[in-house]
Amino acid sequence: MRILYLTPGVFDKGGISRYGRYQIRALREALGAETLRVLSLLGRQPGDFEAPLEVDFAGAMPRQLGSTLLFIGEAIRQSAAYRPTHVLSAHVHLGPLALALARATRATYVQNVYGLELWPRNGMAFTRRMALKAADIVISDCHATADFVEDRNWSRRPPVVIWDCVDTERFTPAAPSWAALEKYGLRKTQRFRLLFLGRISSGSRHKGFQRLLELLALLPADGFEAVIAGKGDWTRMLVEKVAALGLEDRVTFTGAIAEPDLADTYRSADAFYLVSERGPSMGEGIPLAPMEAMACGLPVLVGNQDGSRELLVRRGGWCGDPTDLREQREYVVRLATDNQFRASEQKAAYERAADAFAYARFKNELATAMRQTMFARETDRG
C-alpha cells in the first residue's frame, strides 16, 4: 500500500489539523512509515503545534496563488513518481485534485469529511460535491456528518465513521500544575470553574462562548467563574460583553494555550463548556476539546444539534438544546453542590473517553478501513 496524503494544513491547532495529525500518526504506525507521503498546502507559522510533524512537502504561509500552484505541481510530481495505491484527501477543498490524481494513477480515492465544510452558507462548490460523490471511500469523523452526506446522496456508499480520538496517556485525571498555569493568569480559587477552550472568532460563534457568559450571569457570583482559553477576532467583543454583564471579576481570558499545558488547563477546571448550535456555516462534527476534557475527568456541556451529541451516552455531562440556559444552569448547580453526583459524572466522562475515543481504537479502525478500500475498489472495477 502506498498512500499519497493531501492536506490543507497539519500545523495549526484547529480540529481538522488535529484529526489529520492523529490520522498520519496512525497510518504510519499501523501500515509503516514508508507507506505514506504527506503533502501540506500550508506551512508552519507562529502559534502552531509545538510538537514537530514530518511531512514530505509543506507550502508557504500565508497561502498565496503561487504556493497553491506549487502544491499542485508537487502533488502531480509525487503522484507520477510514487504511483500511489491510495490518494487520501484530508479536506473536501482538495477533493477535485485528489480525484484527478487517483484516476490518473488508477488509485483508490479516499475523502475525509468533518462537518462545517459541507454546509457553508452559500453551499458547497459543485466541483467539490462531484469529487466527493466520486470518492471510493468517504471517512467521516462522526455519524451526524455521515448522515448529512448520505441523506444528500453525496457518496457512492455509506461513509465509514471513525470518531476522532484523544491521547489517553497524555490527557488523564490528575491534579493540575498550578505553577505551569500562572503564565495564563490561572490560579486555584474556591469557585466552581467552567472552561471554554477553542477559537474565539466570528466563524466560531456557534461554539457557544457568548452563551457561556450568559449562563455565568445566571449563576451565583460568589460560587462560579469562567475561563475562556484561546484567541481570535472576537476576543475584544467578548471582553466588552463581560463588562456589560458585570462579570469582570469572574472571567479570565488566557489567550492561546501552549500544547504542553493543555492537560493542566483542563484539570484546573470543574466542567467544560462547548454548547454548539447547527445552521448554515455553523456546527461541529465531533469536537476534540470536549474529548480531551472528558479524558481528564471533566463533565462536559454540549449541544444536541450536531456531532457533539455523540460524545455522551446518558452520563458524563449535559447534552441538550443550546439555547436552554435554564437546564444548563440546573446541571451546573447540581455538579457544584452534589458531591456524589459530581464524582459520578467525572467517572462517567473519563470512562467514556477511555473507551470510545482512545487512540488505539482510532488506529485500528483507520487501518481496517484503508485495507478494506482495496477490496471495494477492485469490486467496483469488476
Side-chain angles (χ1 to χ4, degrees):
M1 188 178 295
R2 299 180 302 278
I3 305 169
L4 185 63
Y5 190 101
L6 306 179
T7 173
V10 286
F11 301 112
D12 70 274
K13 294 183 179 180
I16 291 179
S17 290
R18 287 179 181 272
Y19 189 91
R21 290 171 78 93
Y22 277 126
Q23 204 172 47
I24 291 166
R25 173 186 166 189
L27 290 170
R28 285 172 171 166
E29 290 180 0
L31 305 176
E34 71 282 355
T35 66
L36 193 66
R37 293 195 181 181
V38 179
L39 311 185
S40 175
L41 172 59
L42 301 179
R44 289 187 176 276
Q45 64 174 332
D48 283 346
F49 281 107
E50 292 81 7
L53 179 70
E54 183 178 347
V55 300
D56 297 277
F57 173 86
M61 268 306 288
R63 178 180 172 184
Q64 299 172 340
L65 176 60
S67 63
T68 300
L69 294 176
L70 186 63
F71 173 81
I72 293 172
E74 181 65 15
I76 294 171
R77 188 189 73 79
Q78 289 271 6
S79 181
Y82 187 46
R83 304 302 296 180
T85 60
H86 295 68
V87 179
L88 195 160
S89 167
H91 198 287
V92 292
H93 291 182
L94 299 179
L97 173 61
L99 173 62
L101 296 176
R103 295 300 179 259
T105 57
R106 294 183 60 80
T108 297
Y109 163 35
V110 183
Q111 180 64 61
N112 282 350
V113 293
Y114 312 94
L116 187 60
E117 79 282 10
L118 299 178
W119 49 76
R121 190 170 303 277
N122 297 323
M124 190 164 68
F126 173 79
T127 54
R128 294 168 185 169
R129 291 202 312 272
M130 292 302 98
L132 177 59
K133 192 165 184 176
D136 298 299
I137 296 291
V138 175
I139 296 176
S140 173
D141 74 335
C142 67
H143 292 281
T145 300
D147 291 345
F148 183 90
V149 170
E150 197 169 1
D151 289 347
R152 284 152 183 78
N153 195 30
W154 283 358
S155 61
R156 297 166 61 187
R157 53 177 58 87
V160 177
V161 175
I162 303 178
W163 277 332
D164 205 342
C165 65
V166 60
D167 186 344
T168 50
E169 294 183 0
R170 177 181 163 209
F171 294 95
T172 59
S177 171
W178 292 105
L181 298 178
E182 284 184 0
K183 57 181 172 286
Y184 304 109
L186 295 180
R187 296 174 180 83
K188 186 174 182 179
T189 71
Q190 298 304 310
R191 288 169 169 168
F192 185 96
R193 178 174 292 173
L194 290 159
L195 170 67
F196 170 88
L197 188 151
R199 283 200 183 103
I200 309 171
S201 64
S202 56
S204 301
R205 285 174 289 172
H206 63 275
K207 292 179 181 289
F209 39 71
Q210 295 183 87
R211 277 191 296 276
L212 172 56
L213 299 179
E214 294 165 3
L215 171 62
L216 184 63
L218 299 177
L219 294 165
D222 59 345
F224 296 86
E225 65 184 16
V227 169
I228 297 180
K231 64 179 183 178
D233 58 12
W234 265 58
T235 302
R236 180 177 176 181
M237 294 184 184
L238 282 191
V239 171
E240 293 173 352
K241 189 176 183 70
V242 165
L245 292 172
L247 302 174
E248 293 95 332
D249 64 339
R250 298 172 61 195
V251 179
T252 301
F253 290 90
T254 68
I257 303 293
E259 198 70 16
D261 298 325
L262 274 179
D264 280 321
T265 302
Y266 291 123
R267 293 165 183 156
S268 72
D270 298 297
F272 186 85
Y273 190 96
L274 196 157
V275 184
S276 56
E277 59 184 312
R278 171 76 171 80
S281 295
M282 298 191 302
E284 299 286 310
I286 188 165
L288 179 59
M291 276 185 204
E292 293 175 341
M294 291 167 68
C296 291
L298 265 68
V300 298
L301 288 87
V302 295
N304 62 0
Q305 297 180 357
D306 54 24
S308 301
R309 62 181 179 265
E310 296 171 42
L311 288 165
L312 299 172
V313 179
R314 294 184 297 277
R315 303 296 302 276
W318 177 91
C319 179
D321 182 346
T323 65
D324 194 338
L325 295 180
R326 181 188 60 80
E327 275 199 9
Q328 295 173 34
R329 181 186 183 278
E330 289 178 359
Y331 178 76
V332 171
V333 169
R334 186 178 179 190
L335 278 180
T337 57
D338 186 335
N339 291 337
Q340 184 176 354
F341 176 70
R342 181 174 173 182
S344 174
E345 289 292 89
Q346 290 171 334
K347 183 174 183 288
Y350 167 74
E351 290 179 347
R352 172 66 172 166
D355 176 55
F357 308 125
Y359 170 73
R361 184 272 314 160
F362 176 88
K363 180 171 72 172
N364 290 337
E365 291 183 2
L366 178 60
T368 298
M370 293 301 292
R371 292 187 180 108
Q372 289 176 345
T373 60
M374 296 294 289
F375 173 77
R377 183 73 171 134
E378 290 303 318
T379 299
D380 287 349
R381 286 172 176 169

